[in-house]
Amino acid sequence: KQWYQRRVAITAGCDFCHMTESNIILLTDSGKIFLNAVGQKNVICIHDENEEISCFFIHDDWHLFVAYWSGKIVSFNIFNPKKHILSLKTNHVMYSIQLFSNYLYYGTADGGVGRIKVCQNNSDYLKIVEFDQQHSGSVYCIATNKSILVSGGADSRVVFWNLSGTVLFIDHMSHVGVVRHIFLNEWILITAGDA
């Protein structure tokens, strides 16, 4: 009971929260990132960029990607946060990011979708590839599996892409409001939104 009460109190002032098997990661609107290990009383600040966070993605429970309103993206190991694995500046505000197979896929405030190569041992490291514009409003959510990328946003559309950025299908009928969440694995696609 005490464990639960402490975590409720800790998460009350945070914009984003992610819980792994052994840690809670909290991200505040001021750009501070906190780590609380399960069973520990102390919450430690592991990163402070002093910029407002727009979205984040955590891979394998330790590799954190954080996008800021300024268009900056940083990535680091939560157990060694001083050493950035990735740091780059883009021209977009990212609303959704997801890592899959050495690419960071993203959706932006201005309706863009694209990918960034984040595998350091390739010649096109950090190359940004913007897909053809298919959304007329902000892209709030994206999801990938091994064969497709799905994006959704303010225009009520759900767009299906191959991983290279070619449009496969656009669903105009499933939503009449903003599409805010997408879940995708090999067998299931779930989209959710305002209506």
Side-chain angles (χ1 to χ4, degrees), residues 4-194:
Y4 175 76
Q5 288 173 337
R6 187 169 71 248
R7 272 153 184 79
V8 169
I10 290 167
T11 60
C14 294
D15 287 330
F16 305 101
C17 179
H18 180 82
M19 187 168 189
T20 69
E21 204 170 291
S22 56
N23 297 293
I24 296 177
I25 301 159
L26 310 164
L27 299 94
T28 68
D29 60 359
S30 65
K32 288 184 177 16
I33 301 172
F34 296 94
L35 179 67
N36 180 228
V38 172
Q40 300 294 317
K41 292 182 180 180
N42 296 335
V43 177
I44 58 170
C45 182
I46 61 170
H47 197 71
D48 186 0
E49 210 57 40
N50 202 24
E51 286 189 57
E52 194 171 350
I53 295 169
S54 60
C55 64
F56 78 100
F57 180 77
I58 188 157
H59 179 67
D60 288 340
D61 290 341
W62 63 268
H63 190 172
L64 185 64
F65 290 86
V66 183
Y68 297 89
W69 285 98
S70 66
K72 180 168 61 173
I73 300 172
V74 297
S75 173
F76 54 88
N77 179 330
I78 62 171
F79 303 110
N80 186 12
K82 300 286 185 219
K83 182 181 178 192
H84 286 184
I85 298 168
L86 164 77
S87 182
L88 76 129
K89 179 81 168 135
T90 71
N91 295 325
H92 301 286
V93 175
M94 307 292 175
Y95 275 176
S96 182
I97 55 178
Q98 183 174 7
L99 182 72
F100 184 78
S101 185
N102 298 320
Y103 288 97
L104 187 67
Y105 291 90
Y106 63 83
T108 68
D110 58 359
V113 175
R115 69 180 188 192
I116 303 167
K117 182 76 167 186
V118 293
C119 182
Q120 293 184 359
N121 57 359
N122 281 5
S123 60
D124 57 351
Y125 175 58
L126 297 185
K127 181 179 179 186
I128 298 174
V129 176
E130 296 183 4
F131 299 169
D132 289 339
Q133 188 89 18
Q134 297 296 328
H135 287 279
S136 60
S138 298
V139 177
Y140 291 120
C141 51
I142 58 170
T144 61
N145 66 18
K146 61 185 177 183
S147 59
I148 63 170
L149 169 72
V150 181
S151 60
D155 60 4
S156 306
R157 294 180 187 160
V158 177
V159 181
F160 295 77
W161 315 76
N162 70 18
L163 297 181
S164 298
T166 302
V167 173
L168 303 172
F169 176 73
I170 300 176
D171 178 358
H172 298 273
M173 307 299 287
S174 295
H175 292 273
V176 293
V178 176
V179 181
R180 297 193 183 274
H181 303 284
I182 296 174
F183 172 81
L184 175 68
N185 65 21
E186 292 181 35
W187 306 280
I188 298 171
L189 169 66
I190 301 170
T191 61
D194 295 351

